[in-house]
Amino acid sequence: MTVPGLIYLIINNYIPMYGVILAFKTLSYDKGIWNSPWSGLDNFKFLFNSPDAFIITRNTVLYNVVFIVVNTVFALLVAILINEIKGKAISRFYQSTFLLPHIVSMVVVAYLVYGFLNQDSGLVNTVLTKYFHKDSIAWYSEAGYWPYILVIVNAWKNAGYLSIIYFAAIIGIDKEYYEAARIDGATRWKQMTAITLPLIMPVILIMTLMAVSSILRSDFGLFYQVTMASGPLIPTTNTIDTFVYRAMVQLGDIGMSSAAGLYQSVVCFFLILGANLAVRRYDKNSSLF
């Protein structure tokens, strides 16, 4: 039964690892990957001596930290509120409503955002100029707005999926805990803080642990397509993934893009080890290994 899964894992995850040697080579297309000359750590030196290394690392880490906090809080709030709905039909309607953005393509999301933020005919500028008599804003030229816009878009798209996982954990809690709490006069808030959150904490920790393991990875569609790859936005929207893409496709620097990708993978590996160790010390049963 595990053979198809192992074959899929080997083909998609292990065989492509051969390409990491590109980070240590100067690629020559006529000689191929293996026969191209070795460059040692030159690609890494060039990457880390450039100002881009600090900016893309800072942007990737800070965005992901905010995403983890905002999405977790919003997903827990949604899950708890859905659990309070008694009617099954309306509960399923809300679950589907919150889950729907997660299955929408990022290309579609990009054009939805464009429909809101277009300088000439976007909904936001129309409201600002027509009802508040403000000047229209060139959203795709003002980098300062995008940290907030990207956090909102990411929460809208992904928190609903996370809320379904937390909702499944909440409905698995024995109802007798709540009945005993109500008999003792516990309020809804007390039930949430004393029963719901502590009992689903292992699920919260596992989901957070998995998110931390990818803290140096970014959603390429979110940072490249939603921003329409606008040049003025690069100071606040350039992450490691978009940098690797631009270095490879626009600059043709495969060596440096491979070095950035390898740097990203190695740091993620140690992050997951560190996060798992921290969780293991807090609650051994909640750690991944």
Side-chain angles (χ1 to χ4, degrees), residues 78-97:
V78 170
I80 292 170
L81 290 176
I82 291 178
N83 187 52
E84 294 296 322
I85 299 173
K86 301 303 177 187
K88 286 187 178 180
I90 193 69
S91 175
R92 287 174 181 171
F93 170 76
Y94 281 116
Q95 290 176 51
S96 302
T97 302

Side-chain angles (χ1 to χ4, degrees), residues 55-74:
I55 293 173
I56 61 177
T57 304
R58 178 202 65 186
N59 288 350
T60 307
V61 172
L62 290 182
Y63 273 118
N64 277 308
V65 169
V66 175
F67 289 164
I68 291 172
V69 174
V70 171
N71 289 2
T72 301
V73 172
F74 184 61

Side-chain angles (χ1 to χ4, degrees), residues 13-174:
N13 293 67
Y14 286 96
I15 292 179
M17 288 177 68
Y18 165 73
V20 299
I21 66 171
L22 282 171
F24 305 95
K25 290 208 166 201
T26 301
L27 181 64
S28 173
Y29 290 101
D30 56 338
K31 295 180 180 177
I33 296 177
W34 189 250
N35 293 321
S36 294
W38 293 93
S39 61
L41 298 176
D42 288 350
N43 289 322
F44 292 92
K45 291 177 183 175
F46 185 74
L47 171 65
F48 291 111
N49 285 333
S50 72
D52 293 326
F54 170 74
I55 293 173
I56 61 177
T57 304
R58 178 202 65 186
N59 288 350
T60 307
V61 172
L62 290 182
Y63 273 118
N64 277 308
V65 169
V66 175
F67 289 164
I68 291 172
V69 174
V70 171
N71 289 2
T72 301
V73 172
F74 184 61
L76 283 170
L77 180 63
V78 170
I80 292 170
L81 290 176
I82 291 178
N83 187 52
E84 294 296 322
I85 299 173
K86 301 303 177 187
K88 286 187 178 180
I90 193 69
S91 175
R92 287 174 181 171
F93 170 76
Y94 281 116
Q95 290 176 51
S96 302
T97 302
F98 282 107
L99 183 62
L100 184 62
H102 185 72
I103 60 177
V104 175
S105 165
M106 194 56 84
V107 176
V108 176
V109 174
Y111 281 97
L112 285 174
V113 174
Y114 186 74
F116 276 93
L117 302 182
N118 179 270
Q119 185 174 1
D120 300 322
S121 58
L123 178 63
V124 177
N125 276 341
T126 301
V127 172
L128 285 176
T129 55
K130 188 173 182 180
Y131 297 102
F132 295 93
H133 306 293
K134 301 286 187 182
D135 295 331
S136 63
I137 299 173
W139 297 98
Y140 290 90
S141 300
E142 300 285 346
Y145 295 114
W146 283 88
Y148 308 100
I149 295 171
L150 292 174
V151 169
I152 293 171
V153 173
N154 183 266
W156 173 79
K157 192 173 191 311
N158 296 317
Y161 172 75
L162 196 58
S163 72
I164 300 301
I165 295 174
Y166 291 144
F167 176 67
I170 291 173
I171 61 176
I173 298 174
D174 194 334

Side-chain angles (χ1 to χ4, degrees), residues 172-184 195 199:
I173 298 174
D174 194 334
K175 301 300 179 189
E176 290 185 357
Y177 289 115
Y178 294 103
E179 292 173 5
R182 282 194 288 270
I183 292 172
D184 290 340
I195 299 175
L199 290 182

